[in-house]
Amino acid sequence: MINIGQNIKEELARQERTVSWLAKKLGCTRAVVYRIMGKNSIDTAMLSRISIVLERSFFIELSDEMGMRLNKRA
C-alpha cells in the first residue's frame, strides 16, 4: 500500500521545497505538515489541497494502486 505521507515528503524534496513553504501554501503550521508526512493515510480534502499546491495528483497514484490490488483478486 502507498504511504501517502512519505510520497508527499518525497515530492516536496524533489521540488526542493521546504516544509515551511508547504505549510504557508496550505495555511497551516509546520507541525501539521510534519504530522501529515508521518501518516500513511490522509483526509481527502487535505490531500486535494496538497495535490494542487504540489501540482501532483496523489489521487491517481492511489487509484492505480487500488486497480492493481483489485486485478490481483480477479
Side-chain angles (χ1 to χ4, degrees):
M1 180 159 210
I2 292 177
N3 183 324
I4 198 66
Q6 183 64 34
N7 284 17
I8 292 166
K9 183 178 181 177
E10 290 170 2
E11 181 62 21
L12 202 58
R14 188 189 71 74
Q15 292 186 21
E16 299 180 346
R17 304 284 191 177
T18 65
V19 170
S20 295
W21 175 86
L22 183 57
K24 183 176 180 181
K25 291 288 187 179
L26 295 174
C28 64
T29 65
R30 290 182 319 137
V32 169
V33 173
Y34 280 116
R35 202 170 312 126
I36 289 167
M37 293 189 306
K39 294 182 175 185
N40 61 3
S41 64
I42 185 173
D43 174 79
T44 55
M46 179 59 81
L47 185 58
S48 178
R49 292 173 56 203
I50 292 169
S51 292
I52 290 166
V53 168
L54 293 178
E55 297 179 346
R56 174 176 166 178
S57 180
F58 293 100
F59 289 101
I60 290 173
E61 296 169 25
L62 292 169
S63 178
D64 289 348
E65 171 80 11
M66 182 183 287
M68 286 189 292
R69 286 176 163 229
L70 291 173
N71 287 335
K72 286 182 180 180
R73 297 176 102 187

